[in-house]
Amino acid sequence: MSAGLVSLEDVSRLQVVSGKGGTGKTTVAAALALALATEGKRTLLVEVEGRQGIAQLFETEALPYEERKIAVAPGGGEVYALAIDPELALLDYLQMFYKLGGAGRALKKLGAIDFATTVAPGLRDVLLTGKACEAVRRKDRSGRFAYDYVVMDAPPTGRITRFLNVNDEVAGLAKIGPIHNQAQAVMRVLKSPETAVHLVTLLEEMPVQETADGIAELRAARLPVGRVIVNMVRPEVLDAADVELVRTVERSSVAQALSTAGLGGARRGGNAEKLVDPLLEQAAEYAERHALEQEQRAVLGALDLPQHELPLLAEGMDLAGLYELATELRKQGLS
Amino acid sequence: MSPDRAEAREAPEGRGTAGAQEAARRLSPARVLDIDPLLDDPKTRIVVCCGSGGVGKTTTAAALGLRAAERGRKVVVLTIDPAKRLAQSMAIDSLDNVPRKVKGTEGDGELHAMMLDMKRTFDEVVEAHADPDRAAAILSNPFYQSLSAGFAGTQEYMAMEKLGQLRAKDEWDLIVVDTPPSRSALDFLDAPKRLGSFLDGRLIRLLTAPAKLGGRAGMAFLNVGMSMMTGTLGKLLGGQLLKDVQTFVAAMDTTFGGFRTRADATYKLLQAPGTAFLVVAAPERDALREAAYFVERLAAEDMPLVGLVLNRVHDSGAGRLSAERALAAAENLEDARIVDQADGKAGLRNSPDTYGSSRPPASETAAAAPEEGSPADTERSVDRLTAGLLRLHAERMRLLSRERRTRDRFTARHPEVAVVEVPALPGDVHDLVGLRDIGHRLAAERPEHPEHPEHI
């Protein structure tokens, strides 16, 4: 845990959370949004992949294309959520710039909207990142930012650089025009210190490798890399001395100890004795996994980024667990 | 799903190994997926592994391929995005987009493997169907370049295209295909249709043939719509992009029989009787929710699902010792130790046969001279270790019950889906030995664990 405490002023206003599939990036994004919402702050959690992962996590019905309050954080902060739908974002956009309300439907019928949002390379991403950046920039009448922080549950590590680097994607195609301008404006926000891209990983080889590759790509594209968040970290149950002892310990003395603890007879065939082999086998598996995890920690350590660890929740992920993780993030100074 | 195929996978009788029966018992009421008959059946020509990201899809596909090969079939595995070391283990880490024979397999069969290069596959499609000049024009078109490398559905489309190519060659008995790590597990079904219908569709025809349409009487309204639209798209995207799209589609359209036709052919191939879908998941809420969704979708599309592979399932050889009892016992040991240290009595052990046992009181040696290896010291560290073992066990039992709950929720919703559980491994797999081991586990061939009767 290399991160020191960071004051709130230093925290980027757009927090992008990516990670390999299965690492729990949606969970971490949601916990981060909660953590940032304490002390009366207001955060917006945005989803860009149409999976409705946020709604499932917060145990609410599917989110519409509309900013909606989904949680209250300790101390009176509020978390809003928005599932960005690229089609609706485009129609919004057309309405805003061209007053194309009704014509939008005609465009949709002809397949133009579908084309623009799913086939035209990069355009979809400009619409998604554009909407998030708009929320970052939006101010209310008093000139105060509408949201103190915007947290984005972004596409996975393998696609994150391409997704955020909309300028490069679009530049080759749309050299002029509003999409081009929009892409430029989005890139100004994304490459500024206002943005931080965090990567969620597990202490396993594949996700760690993908994290290292993702960071290299983000850095090459000069996108601001934030932190590495190691998720679902299992507790250290056996220390180094215990692990060493697992290999040499007398089976009979473990049987004796189990018996002492009240688990039956220590003699051959006794209940305690029968537990010895499976328990030692589990310990050997633990030791093997623990060694692998240490290797992966070393790889992550070499990335030279602030690193955080979130515990595996024994009861599985639910709303209470989400608050637990948010508290943990705050404790670790991430928000 | 096709009911008769599913019938064939009814829980094994007679031929089942002890491991399979073990799995059957653990899994009742759900049906057990028997992998070997599926892989051995000469009528099985394609196995598609699908599921959400991070559940071990690629490893499962590779392990199935190896197992089928070692059982005598000529197999090709098409992987999309394998982990480096897995790719190296099959020597497919070089990207040349053609299957390579994997060395070191056992038995009479053959294993070939390849990693999909989507841009190359797209280029090959163009090159195969256009004359050289036209192909060159397409390949250098900026819109094509973005489309072939960047479009979110291209990977899915090209995976299916490659599958179609491999099948058409008819060089292999069995093709095992991994599906792309999509944002949604369903993308590989939708993307080809979406891209196909776009490239072959009304919009593109409007875009590419404005003059022709405009010239026809009675089509004036379309012309209005069209110019408004090309105007809007032009404004949005910039005129150059639109022109690129137009020239690209014009070049594509005349050279081969339409993308939709190809997409349709692949889609039909997936519905064909020789195809078997396996949904891969891990016993976690999100992965299984996605799996359930996938099962429903495959049924709606008449895609032949044969079952669910549930990876990384935990088990315990000491399943009869509950988490609660293990923790209580660990506390017993730890309390005793604290008492040992606090007042020098070995007492407060709650097991009568060791109460006031022959062990020497710990304090004398501990307090006076805490030497390494003294009997009391050893005893304490064994107690400490044993408490650790019990805590580890409690953690395992909680994980186990959580996994079972999650799995039961899935089987309650989809009792018709046959399931095979693959036990979790402590480490990652990156050689043929590891893949073979997974194969054994997939086929439920594993040393039987001790029984788990009710808690003691």
Side-chain angles (χ1 to χ4, degrees):
Chain A
M1 233 128 307
S2 53
L5 281 173
V6 179
S7 73
L8 283 174
E9 293 72 44
D10 294 341
V11 177
S12 299
R13 295 192 47 246
L14 175 59
Q15 307 253 325
V16 179
V17 180
S18 177
K20 186 183 183 326
T23 58
K25 68 181 173 63
T26 302
T27 307
V28 172
L32 185 56
L34 265 176
L36 287 165
T38 40
E39 290 163 23
K41 302 268 191 234
R42 185 186 284 178
T43 62
L44 177 67
L45 177 60
V46 297
E47 173 171 77
V48 296
E49 294 192 292
R51 285 187 305 132
Q52 289 292 343
I54 295 175
Q56 283 163 4
L57 206 50
F58 283 92
E59 296 164 15
T60 63
E61 72 263 39
L63 295 171
Y65 179 60
E66 173 189 299
E67 289 156 38
R68 180 173 278 196
K69 185 155 87 180
I70 49 161
V72 176
E78 294 172 325
V79 179
Y80 283 71
L82 169 68
I84 305 180
D85 177 304
E87 275 195 16
L88 296 174
L90 179 60
L91 290 175
D92 247 17
Y93 186 85
L94 290 175
Q95 178 60 22
M96 223 186 309
F97 289 92
Y98 302 105
K99 311 279 174 252
L100 273 181
R105 275 199 301 278
L107 285 173
K108 193 173 167 131
K109 228 173 158 186
L110 278 168
I113 299 292
D114 197 34
F115 163 74
T117 54
T118 59
V119 181
L123 184 52
R124 178 192 185 90
D125 298 347
V126 178
L127 289 163
L128 296 171
T129 49
K131 183 72 194 171
C133 289
E134 183 269 322
V136 171
R137 284 300 170 88
R138 194 189 311 153
K139 290 184 175 168
D140 60 20
R141 280 199 201 92
S142 62
R144 188 173 170 269
F145 281 119
Y147 294 103
D148 296 289
Y149 303 100
V150 175
V151 180
M152 182 195 279
D153 175 18
T157 324
R159 292 198 286 118
I160 188 65
T161 301
R162 186 184 281 278
F163 175 76
L164 294 176
N165 212 10
V166 282
N167 204 17
D168 277 13
E169 283 302 304
V170 171
L173 291 166
K175 293 190 176 66
I176 46 160
I179 287 288
H180 177 81
N181 297 342
Q182 168 87 350
Q184 296 275 341
V186 167
M187 282 324 290
R188 274 196 296 277
V189 176
L190 292 182
K191 289 198 173 172
S192 75
E194 262 187 311
T195 301
V197 185
H198 308 302
L199 294 175
V200 182
T201 185
L202 306 178
L203 284 176
E204 289 169 19
E205 193 180 327
M206 275 192 263
V208 166
Q209 184 57 47
E210 219 173 89
T211 302
D213 294 347
I215 287 166
E217 284 173 26
L218 287 165
R219 283 178 172 160
R222 281 190 279 165
L223 286 158
V225 184
R227 286 144 196 272
V228 171
I229 300 161
V230 185
N231 196 19
M232 300 187 228
V233 176
R234 296 181 229 221
E236 187 175 280
V237 184
L238 302 180
D239 63 18
D242 289 336
V243 165
E244 188 56 39
L245 193 54
V246 165
R247 283 185 291 170
T248 56
V249 72
E250 297 268 347
R251 292 182 67 266
S252 60
S253 54
V254 176
Q256 187 63 50
L258 287 168
S259 179
T260 305
L263 293 172
R267 257 170 297 178
R268 183 168 288 278
N271 276 334
E273 195 270 343
K274 280 195 288 190
L275 288 170
V276 175
D277 280 343
L279 291 188
L280 286 176
E281 191 190 318
Q282 282 172 191
E285 285 171 24
Y286 170 89
E288 185 181 349
R289 204 186 60 221
H290 189 69
L292 287 168
E293 287 175 354
Q294 288 303 103
E295 273 174 44
Q296 299 311 319
R297 270 204 184 90
V299 175
L300 290 174
L303 294 173
D304 201 22
L305 284 170
Q307 201 172 307
H308 302 269
E309 295 199 355
L310 290 175
L312 176 72
L313 299 175
E315 293 312 309
M317 203 46 228
D318 58 12
L319 204 48
L322 200 58
Y323 278 84
E324 218 176 288
L325 293 183
T327 310
E328 188 60 36
L329 284 173
R330 277 204 70 77
K331 248 197 276 174
Q332 293 186 24
L334 200 133
S335 62
Chain B
M1 91 180 256
S2 114
D4 50 349
R5 287 184 71 81
E7 221 59 59
R9 312 279 163 245
E10 199 60 72
E13 248 178 281
R15 68 172 128 74
T17 58
Q21 282 155 12
E22 152 79 357
R25 193 182 48 71
R26 276 193 295 145
L27 264 181
S28 59
R31 302 178 327 128
V32 174
L33 173 65
D34 205 354
I35 286 292
D36 285 342
L38 172 72
L39 296 181
D40 293 345
D41 186 348
K43 291 200 285 287
T44 310
R45 302 300 304 273
I46 296 173
V47 172
V48 185
C49 296
C50 45
S52 55
V55 296
K57 239 179 342 196
T58 309
T59 308
T60 302
L64 286 170
L66 179 64
R67 186 164 183 90
E70 296 193 334
R71 293 176 71 86
R73 300 193 79 191
K74 191 177 176 193
V75 187
V76 61
V77 175
L78 170 59
T79 66
I80 308 299
D81 193 14
K84 262 182 208 147
R85 287 172 68 178
L86 179 63
Q88 281 163 0
S89 75
M90 297 194 292
I92 51 164
D93 46 328
S94 61
L95 268 166
D96 57 2
N97 214 27
V98 286
R100 296 282 170 208
K101 186 159 186 246
V102 177
K103 295 189 194 88
T105 62
E106 293 166 1
D108 301 332
E110 283 178 26
L111 177 63
H112 299 245
M114 67 167 289
M115 177 158 80
L116 178 77
D117 177 342
M118 64 169 170
K119 171 118 177 65
R120 195 119 162 200
T121 304
F122 214 146
D123 290 355
E124 285 164 7
V125 174
V126 172
E127 281 160 358
H129 293 87
D131 58 66
D133 288 350
R134 215 180 272 274
I138 295 171
L139 296 183
S140 63
N141 181 294
F143 179 73
Y144 170 76
Q145 285 171 356
S146 296
L147 188 70
S148 60
F151 168 49
T154 304
Q155 200 179 36
E156 284 80 0
Y157 189 16
M158 288 305 131
M160 292 303 116
E161 171 67 34
K162 197 77 204 175
L163 171 63
Q165 287 176 12
L166 292 174
R167 184 68 182 85
K169 273 195 181 169
D170 210 20
E171 267 180 46
W172 293 277
D173 302 336
L174 177 67
I175 303 167
V176 182
V177 57
D178 174 23
T179 51
S182 300
R183 74 198 134 92
S184 135
L186 311 172
D187 267 15
F188 81 93
L189 284 179
D190 295 327
K193 274 204 275 188
R194 196 193 296 142
L195 187 61
S197 67
F198 159 67
L199 289 172
D200 213 26
R202 197 150 51 131
L203 175 68
I204 218 80
R205 292 189 187 286
L206 286 172
L207 290 177
T208 48
K212 198 167 69 192
L213 275 176
R216 272 192 222 163
M219 296 293 274
F221 77 95
L222 253 186
N223 196 23
V224 172
M226 224 265 328
S227 59
M228 179 201 79
M229 216 182 51
T230 45
T232 310
L233 280 176
K235 269 191 216 156
L236 265 177
L237 306 172
Q240 184 59 42
L241 171 57
L242 199 60
K243 215 176 285 163
D244 288 343
V245 175
Q246 287 170 340
T247 45
F248 165 71
V249 176
M252 283 300 240
D253 197 42
T254 48
T255 46
F256 53 97
F259 264 70
R260 188 197 284 274
T261 321
R262 293 181 79 84
D264 283 350
T266 314
Y267 189 81
K268 288 220 174 66
L269 184 63
L270 293 177
Q271 289 176 325
T275 301
F277 277 86
L278 282 175
V279 176
V280 185
E284 287 145 21
R285 198 179 57 164
D286 291 352
L288 273 171
R289 183 164 40 212
E290 194 87 337
Y293 187 35
F294 208 101
V295 165
E296 286 152 23
R297 178 69 193 277
L298 285 174
E301 305 273 340
D302 284 324
M303 301 279 177
L305 171 73
V306 294
L308 174 78
V309 175
L310 200 55
N311 275 331
R312 299 185 199 144
V313 177
H314 290 86
D315 200 355
S316 172
R320 65 211 170 106
L321 177 60
S322 72
E324 294 72 21
R325 272 211 80 194
L327 279 182
E331 273 163 27
N332 269 344
L333 283 175
E334 280 158 356
D335 288 351
R337 199 149 54 84
I338 291 164
V339 172
D340 279 356
Q341 284 165 345
D343 62 8
K345 284 188 193 129
L348 279 188
R349 311 271 188 169
N350 67 348
S351 178
D353 60 350
T354 51
Y355 194 78
S357 70
S358 56
R359 298 184 195 186
S363 67
E364 289 153 35
T365 42
E371 309 151 45
E372 284 284 318
S374 65
D377 204 45
T378 310
E379 188 191 325
R380 257 203 311 279
S381 48
V382 170
D383 280 359
R384 214 175 72 115
L385 171 66
T386 306
L389 294 179
L390 289 165
R391 288 189 183 280
L392 199 58
H393 179 69
E395 194 193 299
R396 170 71 64 99
M397 291 309 285
R398 279 207 213 114
L399 177 66
L400 221 121
S401 70
R402 179 156 58 90
E403 287 181 352
R404 286 191 184 162
R405 266 202 316 275
T406 317
R407 182 207 62 195
D408 289 347
R409 224 173 288 149
F410 175 88
T411 45
R413 193 164 150 194
H414 288 289
E416 80 284 4
V417 177
V419 182
V420 61
E421 292 188 15
V422 184
L425 293 170
D428 289 329
V429 173
H430 17 61
D431 53 22
L432 289 187
V433 177
L435 286 178
R436 197 171 288 133
D437 183 33
I438 300 259
H440 291 316
R441 288 163 187 258
L442 271 164
E445 271 177 12
R446 53 183 176 269
E448 196 172 353
H449 278 300
E451 281 298 295
H452 315 166
E454 290 319 298
H455 295 149
I456 52 175

